[in-house]
Amino acid sequence: MTPEHERFAELATRSLESSPELREEAHAEVLGRLAHGGGAGEIPEAVVRLESKRPRSPWTLACFGVAALVVLGLCAGWLGRQAVAEGRVLQGVIHFGSSLEPDDDLLRESLDPATRDFVFAGIGSDLEAAKNLERQWELHPDELGIYEELIHRRLAANQGLPPDFAETWRRLEPDNGLWPFLEAIGKHEEWRKAPPAGETFSRETLDLLRQSAAAQRFEPHLRELRSRRLAMLGPTETLAEETRLFLYSISALWVPTTRQQHGTILTLTKAAQQAAAEKNAEELTAQIASWEGLVGRLGANGTTLLDLIIPAISWNDTGKAMLQGSRDLGLHEQEVRLDDLQKQLADYQAAYRHSTRNARPMSSLARVMAVGGPKLGLADDETLFEPGRRVEYAVVDRMLGLAAAIVVLLFFAGAAIESFRRGRRINGLADGLAPLFRPADLLWTFGLGIALPALWYVGIARWTPIGLRDIGMTEYHPRPILIQAGAALVFAMLMVVQTARWRLVARAGFLALRPARPWIGWTMAGVAAAVIPAAGGVRWLSGNEERYLWAVAATGGLSLLWLLWEAGSVVFSSRDQSLGGVLLCRRLIAPFTMLAVLLLASWAPLRSTERHWHARDKVTRADRERGGLTLRESRMVDHIRERFHKAFPETSGTR
């Protein structure tokens, strides 16, 4: 050994001056490594470096690591709580779960008790809702929407009509055909429980249906009630808030008496069949007029798709029965009229069946809300879907950033533990060698390990077609965004490790710390980087997309396995061979801290991006003025109502 070797060993073990035995062991290890490490020309420069700079206290790095872990862990936990709350709402929408589950706790908590009772009175089981609505009707006797909803809930709960129902509606709105229609439903349900022998329909129900059809107007009040309730819930700024409102709207839009309404309108069918069987042309003509008046009004005044189900069914079923009766009795004028109605319905059904929609640019929530139909003006205007799609990507990017930060913190914790768990001799030797490293080494690690992967991933994901941001997230399975994000994380961590090891070899490689095959790690980093654009290449495939994506994901899995192998080789190495691992782990603490900070810090700008695009989203946001309908639902309702206006112009008030 040369004097320079001895001098280097002496300087490298200064941190163990208080433990002569440990220092002697460390001194021998250093000399052994110098003998087998080569690079004799690097030793003089290393000696000068160690002489000019004493090692820092090991407690500095330890305190920094602990403080960083605690602070970043608390931040991750705080953001994680928000993410879990959002995830419960969004899991079915973004298809990380299986269904849409209502979650209105936050909506309820945002309201004062009186407003909360008013807004949520109609939510819950039929019995519970009926009880709550009765209380609200007592508090708001002028709120006809509450009374209408109460009747629906009572009928659905088999409670029947209130004893004073007929007197109440005749006092409040005697000219509105809505109320005799609801009374007809109640009377039909009473008759259905015990129909008299020989009767196929209720005469009392039939009279009420005719009264409803002949009324001056037919105006439901539920849409105005829903609009007032939605206005009380306050504005939404995020996808989770909008989804909560959407789930509330689904519950609020539900009409629990669809079955009862269908059975009630069948009264007209049975009455028409009986009139035809009895050859009573006058009665059949009256039934046809009543049916047209009632169905035309129900269809022309429907405010939701659920409202339009019953008149649409009746247009088909009852219309055919009356057409057949008109033919049997030779009622030529009625036959021509009813035949024309059936042709109009057939044309509409054919157009509906053959209409197509391009789901490719839609967000997950837009797909959940999507309703097919001809000429709705949405499929051709794909720019309408861009805001909602960008909102969804911002949400998922935010969640993935948090998940990646947690993974990095786990590796950070492992590196921090490995930096100090090997005992005082190895720790003291690592402290003594610390002055060999320079700030430039950290800059290299930050640049190649963090900046390069970040620019590579963001550049591809945001600014190229292979980022797939112009395509809905649920277009492909498995999700390309998950593959790309996972590959980006593995790429970044491998680059951090490889760059830190490169700088370790550059500063202390003469201590026999050179890896046997350094090219493998760089190759695996390149594989992870290549997976990101490869996953986006699925957009140009016309088949086997799922197999292709699984193959790409499996390829990226090779890089992940190598990263885990590298971690395992450090953790499970023997103490005599652990110096390189300890030095490497200490060089990883600062870049892992920076990477975790950047990932956690991305939450705020991505939340801002989400809010920006959510404010511009017209497709998936509920229209409060229309009782919570989305844009597609509104256009579909308008389209169907227009069909009813055209088919029943006299009864729907358009002529």
Side-chain angles (χ1 to χ4, degrees), residues 183-336:
E183 187 174 0
I185 297 174
K187 296 300 181 181
H188 171 75
E189 290 299 298
E190 292 177 8
W191 174 86
R192 188 176 61 84
K193 292 176 182 178
E199 284 192 9
T200 59
F201 61 90
S202 166
R203 289 286 178 181
E204 188 175 12
T205 299
L206 180 62
D207 291 340
L208 286 166
L209 291 176
R210 288 179 171 178
Q211 183 179 350
S212 176
Q216 295 181 14
R217 59 192 178 95
F218 192 102
E219 296 181 9
H221 300 283
L222 287 179
R223 189 179 87 172
E224 290 75 12
L225 174 63
R226 297 179 188 123
S227 296
R228 280 194 288 277
R229 284 172 169 170
L230 289 171
M232 295 176 178
L233 291 175
T236 60
E237 295 183 346
T238 66
L239 180 60
E241 292 172 355
E242 187 64 38
T243 303
R244 289 189 184 96
L245 191 67
F246 171 57
L247 296 175
Y248 169 81
S249 297
I250 291 176
S251 301
L253 290 170
W254 173 246
V255 179
T257 56
T258 301
R259 179 186 60 81
Q260 291 89 338
Q261 291 183 50
H262 179 58
T264 301
I265 293 183
L266 282 179
T267 299
L268 292 170
T269 306
K270 295 174 181 178
Q273 291 171 339
Q274 179 174 309
E278 295 174 353
K279 307 298 183 181
N280 190 337
E282 182 179 354
E283 179 66 17
L284 179 59
T285 301
Q287 300 295 356
I288 293 173
S290 297
W291 172 75
E292 286 195 47
L294 182 62
V295 171
R297 289 182 168 198
L298 288 173
N301 293 283
T303 59
T304 70
L305 292 173
L306 291 172
D307 293 341
L308 296 168
I309 290 176
I310 299 305
I313 293 175
S314 183
W315 185 352
N316 181 65
D317 297 344
T318 307
K320 288 179 179 178
M322 292 188 171
L323 173 60
Q324 186 60 47
S326 299
R327 287 173 178 168
D328 293 342
L329 298 187
L331 300 175
H332 179 70
E333 182 178 349
Q334 284 77 11
E335 179 183 352
V336 171

